[in-house]
Amino acid sequence: MGLLSIIRKIKKKEKEMRILMVGLDNSGKTTIVLKINGEDTSVISPTLGFNIKTIAYQKYTLNIWDVGGQKTIRSYWRNYFEQTDGLVWVVDSSDLRRLDDCKMELDNLLKEERLSGASLLILANKQDIKGALAPEEIAKNSGQQAATALLLRCDCASMTLLFAAAMTATVYSTLHANSVAVMGSAATLHHYSALLTT
Amino acid sequence: MDDEMEKETILDNKEAEAEAALQKKHLSMLDRLSKRQQSRSTTSTEPSTDSTSSFLSRFSQLKSSIESHLSDSQSLSSDPSQLKPHFDKISESISDLEKLVAQSSYFLPSYDVRSSLKTVSDLKRSLDCLSSELIPKKKFSFKNKAKASKKDQGSVLPESKPVRDSVQPSYVARDSPGFRNKTGEVLVGEFKESEIGEFTISDLDSCEVRIIGCIRALFIHRLKNCRVYVGPVTGSILIEEAEGCVFAIASHQIRIHGARRSDFYLRVRSRPIVEDCNGVRFAPYCLSYRGIEEDLRGADLDAETGNWANVDDFRWLRAVQSPNWSILPENERVGIVDISNSESMKEEI
Ligand SMILES: Nc1nc2c(ncn2[C@@H]2O[C@H](COP(=O)(O)OP(=O)(O)OP(=O)(O)O)[C@@H](O)[C@H]2O)c(=O)[nH]1
Ligand SMILES: [Mg+2]
């Protein structure tokens, strides 16, 4: 009981979250961030550095860092590990051939000491593409225990709320002792957002 | 609310291990949060501009010291035995500088982070250039890099390549639409009515591929001496490992990794990128078939953006032209390629 109240006390003041969004190149990170922010996504070049977007969700402020995923610049990811509350790992669910690369890069990230306190959200992107792997399969391939990974079925369409709710819920559920698996249904996410407003 | 949250507790007894890991993670997060809380309350009186400006002055100090060391290199070049430790030292200072940026990145305005990172990568590149210029290239440059990377413990250096021992991907069995494992064939696909999802072209030798109609995402992997003519792709194209090929492709995004001696005729809305490429040349899209105008319009690719020439080389982020790619001279371009009459050769996919 003591633990929970401490958590709540800290969390009350802790309304700003730093979210690091990484994944292989072409997985859709920039598209997602721009969509979330309601910006034009018709011309997006592969990211050479990074973008930062701030979105407000209920009483939370999410600072989202979108970092380029080309092989040459993956080594820069570590520049952003410090102070990260939530890690969003974006997967192109239609890129079957690079799933192994994808897993290897994620495994490397999760070994990072500096990320050990951060929550993990695995985003199975491009679900609209025929032939894409289902979120459940992506989770299995990532080798993630359902209890720590949260999956979001997503096709980049009007996802601001969904994303913010998912992210907040992920960070929140790490703080809260029972990290419940949430399997990509909007209903579950609404449940979480209801929890968070109270 | 508390009761409700308590009810959420789902403990799978089989996953005690996961639970323990979670507990640990949970504690480390708490620890971090409370530390952060403290540091925030002690520094809150200090306006953030102060820390920004102190960062910037510290940064520029370190930067000029590195620059002056770099410019000393020429004078040392008479004695190769001194060069190596000299460069190692500079490399160390650059990673310290990078660490400083990383540590400060959470309070710095994004512009400052970006320009600082740019400076860091420019310094790294100058160092790379100087060392390859002044230290005679050995056959095994790998050794140098391995040594340099020791300086920066636990971090991934740009040079470190992921080790791929087995090339066998886990989902190879799944039959997604594509052309695979062929030699010396003409492969024709037509998707006039229905738009297709992802399409894969892989492991071809001396083939010609013709695809009429729209695709959402295209993956190309391991082609040798092939010609690839493809209608508009509404999402992105990813090409990995191609040698001696000609591509006529149109897409919103194009990423080319590990291609050599190949020509690319592109129509693309954003800037195409190359990584680990060599001898690749670029020209505007040159494909034609009956109804291509309509398909291009439908895919928002009817306008020539001129981006076929705006190639970014991720291995060469400098103002001077990358040696890895060039514009294909006009007199060497193929002219319009018409694939309208491919029907007769159509193959079942
Ligand atoms: N069909 C489909 N395409 C998507 C989706 N999300 C992104 N894309 C496409 O995927 C391609 C890559 O998207 P980006 O947002 O540039 O990917 P990125 O992860 O930022 O890539 P880097 O900056 O290179 O790391 C683009 O062509 C997008 O249009 C999606 O949900 N569905
Ligand atoms: Mg991007």
Side-chain angles (χ1 to χ4, degrees), chain A:
Chain A
M1 222 47 252
L3 189 58
L4 263 187
S5 51
I6 296 169
I7 299 165
R8 232 171 267 127
K9 210 155 145 201
I10 294 173
K11 197 60 200 168
K12 209 170 270 169
K13 294 183 194 136
E14 206 49 59
K15 288 180 183 156
E16 211 178 293
M17 290 194 279
R18 185 171 146 131
I19 311 295
L20 176 63
M21 200 145 163
V22 281
L24 299 191
D25 51 295
N26 197 39
S27 53
K29 301 176 291 295
T30 307
T31 310
I32 291 166
V33 171
L34 293 182
K35 283 260 180 191
I36 288 174
N37 224 32
E39 289 175 52
D40 179 34
T41 56
S42 59
V43 182
I44 297 176
S45 292
T47 309
L48 240 165
F50 59 88
N51 307 295
I52 305 175
K53 300 282 169 196
T54 302
I55 62 167
Y57 172 69
Q58 294 175 357
K59 52 187 176 178
Y60 294 88
T61 304
L62 281 71
N63 289 314
I64 306 176
W65 293 57
D66 155 34
V67 189
Q70 291 291 144
K71 205 188 272 172
T72 318
I73 56 175
R74 283 178 205 160
S75 54
Y76 290 104
W77 288 352
R78 68 195 149 93
N79 290 347
Y80 309 92
F81 291 165
E82 224 71 60
Q83 308 288 326
T84 292
D85 296 303
L87 181 69
V88 183
W89 181 253
V90 183
V91 182
D92 176 351
S93 317
S94 71
D95 189 355
L96 308 185
R97 195 182 60 78
R98 293 202 300 170
L99 276 177
D100 288 349
D101 280 0
C102 185
K103 178 173 164 36
M104 185 197 68
E105 295 287 0
L106 177 61
D107 287 347
N108 284 342
L109 272 190
L110 297 180
K111 275 185 221 134
E112 269 291 333
E113 188 65 27
R114 282 171 296 166
L115 286 176
S116 63
S119 315
L120 172 66
L121 168 70
I122 297 179
L123 221 150
N125 197 29
K126 307 203 191 181
Q127 287 296 312
D128 57 310
I129 293 186
K130 206 157 55 187
L133 284 183
E136 294 77 5
E137 290 175 279
I138 296 290
K140 213 167 90 204
N141 180 268
S142 311
Q144 285 309 303
Q145 298 279 1
T148 54
L150 182 140
L151 297 159
L152 177 59
R153 194 182 289 276
C154 145
D155 58 6
C156 262
S158 74
M159 53 176 297
T160 313
L161 260 185
L162 222 59
F163 177 84
M167 199 62 246
T168 317
T170 314
V171 174
Y172 187 84
S173 60
T174 309
L175 272 178
H176 189 32
N178 54 340
S179 216
V180 189
V182 177
M183 296 298 269
S185 84
T188 331
L189 293 172
H190 285 318
H191 172 67
Y192 263 105
S193 43
L195 261 182
L196 290 163
T197 40
T198 48

Side-chain angles (χ1 to χ4, degrees), chain B residues 19-214:
Chain B
E19 193 59 35
L22 198 66
Q23 238 2 301
K24 200 174 148 215
K25 194 183 173 87
H26 180 189
L27 285 175
S28 96
M29 188 168 185
L30 276 179
D31 184 44
R32 192 170 51 77
L33 281 175
S34 57
K35 273 195 195 122
R36 185 158 136 195
Q37 203 64 33
Q38 277 166 16
S39 71
R40 274 193 189 166
S41 48
T42 52
T43 54
S44 58
T45 44
E46 203 180 301
S48 68
T49 42
D50 266 13
S51 34
T52 301
S53 57
S54 73
F55 163 80
L56 288 176
S57 68
R58 182 86 200 289
F59 183 86
S60 59
Q61 255 173 13
L62 289 171
K63 179 186 171 223
S64 25
S65 131
I66 292 170
E67 278 167 348
S68 76
H69 280 110
L70 279 171
S71 52
D72 288 346
S73 310
Q74 288 289 0
S75 59
L76 283 173
S77 60
S78 52
D79 187 358
S81 68
Q82 281 199 12
L83 270 175
K84 184 71 179 51
H86 175 70
F87 285 137
D88 282 350
K89 210 170 139 248
I90 297 177
S91 164
E92 214 170 323
S93 319
I94 296 177
S95 36
D96 286 345
L97 188 65
E98 194 178 19
K99 268 186 211 130
L100 177 68
V101 179
Q103 277 159 7
S104 318
S105 66
Y106 74 96
F107 67 77
L108 283 179
S110 69
Y111 172 78
D112 293 312
V113 180
R114 183 184 286 267
S115 59
S116 316
L117 282 178
K118 175 85 175 54
T119 306
V120 170
S121 66
D122 286 349
L123 288 172
K124 278 187 182 166
R125 248 174 255 121
S126 314
L127 175 64
D128 280 355
C129 271
L130 268 175
S131 63
S132 62
E133 191 184 306
L134 298 178
I135 298 182
K137 259 255 179 323
K138 284 178 218 138
K139 276 255 159 64
F140 264 38
S141 60
F142 188 73
K143 253 198 172 140
N144 280 334
K145 285 168 183 166
K147 222 177 211 158
S149 72
K150 262 195 200 127
K151 295 259 147 40
D152 202 334
Q153 271 189 4
S155 60
V156 202
L157 279 185
E159 291 87 356
S160 68
K161 290 238 165 66
V163 189
R164 248 185 258 170
D165 33 8
S166 77
V167 202
Q168 206 62 7
S170 28
Y171 279 87
V172 91
R174 206 183 170 99
D175 42 6
S176 64
F179 296 131
R180 299 176 172 88
N181 303 309
K182 305 267 188 217
T183 306
E185 288 184 33
V186 177
L187 305 157
V188 181
E190 194 167 343
F191 311 108
K192 271 317 246 188
E193 268 90 71
S194 59
E195 196 194 59
I196 189 156
E198 110 280 11
F199 194 88
T200 301
I201 301 173
S202 77
D203 301 281
L204 303 184
D205 189 350
S206 313
C207 290
E208 181 169 320
V209 175
R210 306 173 180 184
I211 293 176
I212 292 177
C214 283

